[in-house]
Amino acid sequence: MIIGIDLGTTNSLAAYFTEDGPKIIPNRLGERLTPSVVSIDENDQVFVGRSALERMAVHPDQAASLFKRSMGSKKEFHLGNKCFSAEELSSFVLRSLKEDAEYYLGEEVTEAVISVPAYFNDVKRKATKRAGELAGLRVERIISEPTAAAIAYGLYQKREDSKFLVFDLGGGTFDVSILDLDDDIMEIRAVAGDNYLGGEDFTNLILENYLEDHNLDSNGLSEKEKTYFRNQAEKSKCHPEQDGSYRMQAIIDGVREETVLSRKDFEKKATQLFDRIKQPVRRSLSDAGVRVREIDEIVLVGGTTKMPAVRKFVSRLFGRVPDTSVNPDEAVALGAAIQGAMKERKESVREVILTDVCPFTLGTEVAVKMENDRLENNHFCPILERNTVIPASRTEKFFTIYDHQTQVEIHILQGESRFASNNVSLGTIRLTVPDNMAGEEEIDITYTYDVNALLEVEAKIKSTGERVTKLIKNQETDMSLEQMQARMKELAYLKIHPRDQEANKVLLLRGERLYEEATGELREALEMVTRQFEHILDKQDPSKIAEARKDYEEALDFIEEEMWTN
Ligand code: AMP
């Protein structure tokens, strides 16, 4: 069985393909989204999702979140006395999704299509693929998130050939992509974005307005208070009033205080954020050479596109109402599942060939002759330009620059700066060329970038026909097969917390967190209800446990509310 996985920064989810189309697979708690959080306890028990989130509050040193941002990097995450890379932490999330899918579907899941942001370079894509393999999944295809989203809208619904603009506004990032579906070929034409713009900025507007209204200075708040007010602002943001205003409530000095931010005032405050959104939108359109009116579908992705103000802004910007027929949280996972079905050649799916773009410019360092005939190094010569449709292959000719030059070094770079030193170095190729006069030896350099975003560089000495090729790999994180198998064994030893006990565990962890936060009578009450619940768990009677869990949850809700009123 093959599933589609959206491995997100804050949440992850899986989907599978049925005769009625793609469907989301609920996790062990029956939820559609699994927080991308991992925690490990003293007994080497791994927690993923909501239970990990609860554990993070009490044992922050044993938990990690937001690790997708470090995918493919050398960054190490310390969880208790253990140390993991971002791809290893991601492998726990993937393993948990795989196990939940197997339970739900009643069959083994062996393969997955995993989505990544369009701007992920080859190093990050390979790290994502390895994360899947570490989780015991064959990952034949990594798909770009906007492509997956467009597939969920376009292909499943069997639309005609069209141009899509995918508008993805998540918690902390904004990505915009232009895609073209033409003759069964889906092509990403351009991608652009802002890595520091998302839902959190909108939450801040509501939060700041509230604090100002109640003469509170956020610098004077404790960490615990900051988290509390932020959570209240977040709740208000996700549940606007009928008239579009935001009613934020919180308890200050034991009294419930409320502030209503009208729709109009909110939109005024958000003007700056909307202005920032316009910039990458313009850039993507101009990079793709597409005019707004040529766009057939505006596809919304990411939790923040559920906000009425964002939808209104998008409608105004593009002069039409965006398609909201697919849940913006789920489009990417659904698209990945459809891609999986295409791979399996399911008859009900229209087969398309996917293409992508190379998100950065790739090139090499060259010396340039200045006015006084002096050679100046450190210049960047682009070979594959940003937003070139891939797979792509391009050759450029280069020549020796000195008389009797026998050594040539090809410095492979990625980036947009004119100067080599400002760009990212991906590797080098060294060549020995025949001894000759300057400009007499020609070296043809070919850059080939494939659909899995792997870069191959070939250098050919024209006079001798000698060729040297290099596949760009990330030296630091690349593992040999043996290393990979050894690491898989080590990680397999760490077991994901058993699914049948997960719901109880989440509540017990929440009880533990509240106990740490509470004092006096509430602490005693917590201890009492927790003991009662544990007592029933010990008896192992499933029907009693279900009932007790409900009571325990209600008690925790009540106590949490009381904690802020006292
Ligand atoms: P994502 O990264 O796509 O999971 O999006 C997460 C962001 O979406 C967070 O900032 C959430 O606050 C926001 N979000 C989720 N649901 C809603 C909603 N119903 N209304 C407004 N924002 C939401």
Side-chain angles (χ1 to χ4, degrees):
M1 176 79 175
I2 177 164
I3 59 172
I5 296 178
D6 172 2
L7 183 62
T9 310
T10 36
N11 290 300
S12 295
L13 63 163
Y16 72 118
F17 198 81
T18 71
E19 298 209 330
D20 301 327
K23 296 246 168 348
I24 296 294
I25 302 171
N27 68 14
R28 56 195 64 198
L29 295 169
E31 298 165 341
R32 295 160 85 84
L33 300 178
T34 298
S36 305
V37 183
V38 174
S39 174
I40 297 189
D41 72 5
E42 300 74 17
N43 306 318
D44 292 340
Q45 186 91 237
V46 181
F47 296 87
V48 173
R50 244 211 317 148
S51 54
L53 203 57
E54 284 292 353
R55 283 199 96 245
M56 188 156 72
V58 184
H59 307 286
D61 53 326
Q62 294 175 6
S65 62
L66 305 176
F67 35 84
K68 178 173 167 178
R69 292 188 175 152
S70 310
M71 191 69 102
S73 78
K74 280 201 288 183
K75 182 170 173 177
E76 290 182 335
F77 293 83
H78 294 268
L79 278 74
N81 57 6
K82 295 197 169 50
C83 192
F84 300 97
S85 64
E87 72 189 62
E88 289 172 345
L89 292 173
S90 302
S91 84
F92 290 128
V93 175
L94 292 169
R95 207 195 313 165
S96 173
L97 293 172
K98 172 182 173 345
E99 286 177 10
D100 285 351
E102 285 175 342
Y103 177 82
Y104 181 77
L105 302 169
E107 62 179 289
E108 205 189 348
V109 172
T110 50
E111 210 175 316
V113 172
I114 305 178
S115 64
V116 294
Y119 59 82
F120 256 28
N121 62 14
D122 52 319
V123 171
K124 290 172 183 286
R125 283 171 195 244
K126 284 185 74 184
T128 306
K129 194 165 180 227
R130 272 198 306 273
E133 282 156 11
L134 286 171
L137 288 164
R138 205 163 59 239
V139 186
E140 295 225 340
R141 182 86 208 202
I142 292 284
I143 187 171
S144 286
E145 288 162 9
T147 310
I151 287 179
Y153 276 90
L155 300 180
Y156 169 52
Q157 296 171 357
K158 304 248 177 353
R159 295 246 169 90
E160 296 299 305
D161 291 348
S162 36
K163 283 189 176 41
F164 298 86
L165 182 141
V166 179
F167 185 100
D168 181 353
L169 190 58
T173 54
F174 172 55
D175 296 307
V176 55
S177 322
I178 313 278
L179 294 96
D180 203 347
L181 174 64
D182 196 4
D183 276 347
D184 288 349
I185 296 184
M186 175 77 96
E187 186 175 299
I188 297 194
R189 297 279 298 272
V191 293
D194 184 334
N195 282 339
Y196 298 94
L197 177 66
E200 286 160 26
D201 298 297
F202 291 93
T203 309
N204 276 343
L205 298 180
I206 298 172
L207 176 62
E208 280 160 15
N209 179 66
Y210 182 90
L211 295 179
E212 208 177 286
D213 195 29
H214 297 282
N215 293 321
L216 289 169
D217 177 5
S218 74
N219 295 324
L221 299 175
S222 67
E223 281 307 311
K224 196 170 130 186
E225 284 167 331
K226 275 186 201 163
T227 311
Y228 168 69
F229 284 118
R230 167 157 281 283
N231 286 345
Q232 296 305 105
E234 174 79 17
K235 260 187 224 164
S236 154
K237 181 186 79 172
C238 293
H239 301 99
E241 300 292 305
Q242 283 283 336
D243 63 0
S245 62
Y246 291 97
R247 181 185 299 269
M248 172 166 166
Q249 296 187 332
I251 298 188
I252 304 173
D253 297 331
V255 182
R256 183 180 298 276
E257 302 282 2
E258 146 177 318
T259 294
V260 178
L261 179 58
S262 73
R263 182 179 58 81
K264 226 168 145 195
D265 288 345
F266 176 78
E267 285 175 7
K268 220 195 254 158
K269 285 180 189 292
T271 311
Q272 266 195 342
L273 298 177
F274 289 133
D275 283 343
R276 280 174 60 196
I277 289 178
K278 284 181 192 161
Q279 293 165 17
V281 169
R282 282 202 197 105
R283 201 181 109 181
S284 67
L285 287 166
S286 96
D287 275 4
V290 171
R291 261 173 268 194
V292 170
R293 66 182 136 81
E294 291 173 302
I295 300 281
D296 302 296
E297 302 286 344
I298 314 278
V299 173
L300 298 183
V301 182
T304 306
T305 63
K306 291 187 205 162
M307 294 185 73
V310 171
R311 293 197 168 178
K312 188 169 149 196
F313 165 77
V314 172
S315 306
R316 286 224 176 123
L317 188 64
F318 299 106
R320 88 201 62 173
V321 180
D323 188 337
T324 52
S325 56
V326 181
N327 182 338
D329 287 330
E330 299 177 353
V332 171
L334 296 173
I338 301 172
Q339 170 62 23
M342 281 180 206
K343 225 189 126 269
E344 287 188 319
R345 298 185 174 277
K346 290 251 165 77
E347 274 170 18
S348 50
V349 187
R350 167 180 170 189
E351 177 133 20
V352 286
I353 299 155
L354 302 181
T355 74
D356 233 322
V357 285
C358 156
F360 309 101
T361 301
L362 295 160
T364 187
E365 180 175 349
V366 288
V368 169
K369 207 171 240 176
M370 308 308 282
E371 277 169 8
N372 54 4
D373 262 7
R374 203 171 44 85
L375 283 169
E376 195 177 277
N377 287 320
N378 194 27
H379 282 264
F380 178 59
C381 172
I383 296 180
L384 283 176
E385 294 272 9
R386 179 182 82 219
N387 286 327
T388 302
V389 173
I390 53 172
S393 188
R394 215 148 280 167
T395 306
E396 287 280 336
K397 291 183 187 7
F398 295 88
F399 299 90
T400 47
I401 45 174
Y402 305 110
D403 291 346
H404 311 297
Q405 179 182 357
T406 54
Q407 297 300 313
V408 174
E409 187 178 272
I410 297 153
H411 192 184
I412 305 158
L413 295 159
Q414 163 191 300
E416 311 303 327
S417 169
R418 247 173 7 103
F419 298 105
S421 54
N422 292 344
N423 292 326
V424 181
S425 171
L426 298 177
T428 51
I429 295 181
R430 288 194 179 81
L431 291 173
T432 304
V433 296
D435 188 342
N436 216 330
M437 300 308 278
E440 292 290 311
E441 284 299 323
E442 178 182 326
I443 299 124
D444 297 340
I445 303 182
T446 307
Y447 277 42
T448 307
Y449 200 70
D450 77 3
V451 282
N452 288 317
L454 298 179
L455 171 67
E456 190 187 80
V457 177
E458 183 195 83
K460 183 178 155 201
I461 305 167
K462 193 151 180 236
S463 63
T464 62
E466 190 195 334
R467 287 163 203 263
V468 179
T469 58
K470 187 170 181 103
L471 192 65
I472 297 298
K473 293 183 186 160
N474 183 12
Q475 305 295 342
E476 294 96 11
T477 59
D478 225 39
M479 290 192 235
S480 68
L481 192 64
E482 294 79 44
Q483 281 172 321
M484 176 106 171
Q485 279 166 348
R487 192 60 181 151
M488 262 177 99
K489 247 192 199 155
E490 281 168 29
L491 295 180
Y493 160 75
L494 297 165
K495 291 273 178 286
I496 307 257
H497 187 260
R499 54 168 305 113
D500 53 344
Q501 297 159 23
E502 184 74 1
N504 302 336
K505 188 73 188 179
V506 167
L507 282 186
L508 287 170
L509 286 167
R510 185 174 163 210
E512 198 182 325
R513 167 171 64 83
L514 294 177
Y515 184 87
E516 292 209 355
E517 289 171 4
T519 49
E521 278 178 20
L522 287 175
R523 222 174 195 193
E524 282 168 29
L526 273 166
E527 166 128 44
M528 193 183 75
V529 290
T530 303
R531 244 203 240 132
Q532 271 173 359
F533 185 52
E534 282 173 336
H535 182 67
I536 291 175
L537 287 180
D538 281 345
K539 288 196 181 146
Q540 299 182 9
D541 176 346
S543 65
K544 290 229 169 75
I545 288 177
E547 204 176 304
R549 187 165 58 222
K550 216 168 130 241
D551 293 345
Y552 184 47
E553 184 162 19
E554 276 170 13
L556 293 182
D557 286 346
F558 178 77
I559 292 171
E560 188 159 19
E561 178 80 20
E562 284 292 298
M563 274 165 58
W564 289 102
T565 35
N566 284 307

